[in-house]
Amino acid sequence: RYQVERNAEITSAAFQSPLELLAEIEKGMRFDILLLDVLMPNLDGFAVCRAVREGRGVPILFLTALGGEKDVLRGYALGADDYVTKPFSLAVLLATLALILGALYTYFSDVQAEQLRLQTALVAHALEREGVSYFDDLDTSDRRITWIATDGTVLYDSRSDSGGMENHLEREEVKAALATGSGTSFRYSDTLMERYIYTAQRLSDGTDRKSVV
């Protein structure tokens, strides 16, 4: 079996066999990044990289003693995000991981924000046509929707009693929506472990509908 270690921020799994890794991936196990050696039992890292790359977008970083030009180029050709040769320092490894994960985090955050902006616009359009009754049969289990007036008063919220909610007028996405028609902002949780995307869309009747996911 593979060994799993967890701390407050990271869960890592160390596999003794690449075949075991591929079997777990087929079962649905997901990773933020894979660290592969080239010289492994049963199946080399190049073959694993090729297999993982078939329909999967997980980042792959090679950490290997094979530093020849042909080996490095082969790793990149198979879809590796980076190729680091041994020996390497912890600082180099951490910098490489930060670069790969940081670039992907920014990309996927932008994609999510664009998807949320589209959803916000669609909900705003439906709300303009149907009014508050639009929310009656709307599934909001995976998102939070708030409808507010131009003075920041909450008119409706899908998760809380609107009467007890604070004024939303000073929220960045709301101010932008009132001024330009739409707005987006990013905020972190109190522990800084989660990043939230907020979008807002101004309604034609002068109110502002804010969708929060």
Side-chain angles (χ1 to χ4, degrees):
R1 292 291 296 170
Y2 57 90
Q3 181 179 357
V4 176
E5 297 183 3
R6 294 183 175 89
N7 60 36
E9 300 180 14
I10 299 173
T11 299
S12 62
F15 293 84
Q16 298 299 317
S17 165
L19 296 177
E20 186 178 30
L21 165 64
L22 293 177
E24 292 299 323
I25 290 177
E26 286 299 320
K27 293 177 184 177
M29 195 172 190
R30 301 177 63 182
F31 303 90
D32 293 313
I33 191 168
L34 288 181
L35 308 183
L36 294 179
D37 199 345
V38 174
L39 302 176
M40 298 189 294
N42 306 123
L43 202 65
D44 66 41
F46 292 135
V48 174
C49 182
R50 183 186 298 109
V52 171
R53 270 290 169 262
E54 294 178 354
R56 302 179 183 89
V58 59
I60 295 175
L61 170 61
F62 274 108
L63 303 174
T64 178
L66 294 184
E69 183 179 89
K70 290 184 178 179
D71 296 315
V72 176
L73 292 177
R74 185 180 181 190
Y76 284 125
L78 289 170
D81 293 271
D82 211 341
Y83 193 107
V84 176
T85 56
K86 301 175 183 177
F88 53 83
S89 68
L90 178 60
V92 169
L93 174 59
L94 293 177
T96 305
L97 290 173
L99 180 63
I100 294 173
L101 294 176
L104 289 171
Y105 182 79
T106 299
Y107 169 77
F108 285 113
S109 292
D110 290 343
V111 171
Q112 291 173 330
E114 184 58 35
Q115 291 175 338
L116 186 57
R117 280 191 285 268
L118 176 60
Q119 292 171 352
T120 300
L122 292 174
V123 172
H125 178 69
L127 184 57
E128 288 174 336
R129 295 186 58 184
E130 302 179 29
V132 72
S133 62
Y134 170 71
F135 296 126
D136 293 343
D137 299 315
L138 184 65
D139 180 10
T140 59
S141 58
D142 62 341
R143 62 182 58 84
R144 185 173 187 172
I145 297 178
T146 306
W147 184 19
I148 73 171
T150 53
D151 63 358
T153 302
V154 177
L155 303 175
Y156 167 87
D157 186 83
S158 61
R159 295 186 182 178
S160 300
D161 178 9
S162 60
M165 296 183 66
E166 64 179 11
N167 190 285
H168 283 30
L169 189 60
E170 293 304 312
R171 299 200 172 193
E172 293 302 318
E173 70 281 1
V174 175
K175 290 193 291 185
L178 291 173
T180 67
S182 63
T184 301
S185 69
F186 300 87
R187 291 194 285 277
Y188 287 91
S189 64
D190 293 337
T191 61
L192 299 181
M193 293 297 294
E194 294 181 294
R195 187 179 189 232
Y196 298 101
I197 306 173
Y198 299 79
T199 63
Q201 179 79 31
R202 187 179 62 209
L203 302 183
S204 60
D205 64 357
T207 62
D208 186 72
R209 205 278 310 160
K210 183 169 66 68
S211 175
V212 180
V213 176

